[in-house]
Amino acid sequence: MDEIFKQQVYEVAKLIPKGRVSTYGAIAKAVGYPNHSRHVGKAMGGCPEDVPAHRVISSSGVLSVPEFQPRLEAEGIVVENLRIKNFKKLFWNPMDEL
């Protein structure tokens, strides 16, 4: 995977505010690769510690990594059965926010 792509993904992910979530697809679109959500997921799998990977979820509002649930809940996000409650309200779209 291209290092520039990964760095762009990390930079966008760092902008997601506490208490909000974004999706792999939204980040892919924001960095100019709208059909590469799986690549974003791969990049997030090996991201540096300063990247809030726990705030990046699937487009259906479901956590891809169950271990991230406590971190999200610590930010005030309610998670039920690995699904973000009020996902649409909490969704941070980098295309609208940047």
Side-chain angles (χ1 to χ4, degrees):
M1 186 178 310
D2 184 84
E3 277 303 312
I4 294 170
F5 175 80
K6 288 201 290 193
Q7 288 305 315
Q8 290 173 327
V9 166
Y10 300 156
E11 291 305 314
V12 172
K14 287 180 187 178
L15 298 173
I16 304 168
K18 249 184 189 174
R20 304 279 301 276
V21 293
S22 194
T23 64
Y24 300 107
I27 291 175
K29 190 173 183 181
V31 299
Y33 294 90
N35 298 319
H36 287 72
S37 56
R38 288 180 192 241
H39 288 85
V40 171
K42 276 189 154 184
M44 296 305 288
C47 69
E49 284 191 30
D50 65 331
V51 177
H54 62 286
R55 296 182 191 148
V56 185
I57 62 173
S58 73
S59 61
S60 61
V62 174
L63 297 185
S64 301
V65 183
E67 292 80 15
F68 287 160
Q69 183 170 339
R71 292 178 73 183
L72 289 167
E73 290 174 339
E75 294 183 6
I77 295 174
V78 178
V79 181
E80 292 178 355
N81 297 321
L82 298 180
R83 184 175 296 279
I84 302 292
K85 193 165 171 99
N86 296 320
F87 170 63
K88 287 185 179 176
K89 183 180 171 197
L90 298 174
F91 175 63
W92 182 82
N93 187 346
M95 298 298 285
D96 295 337
E97 305 283 346
L98 301 178

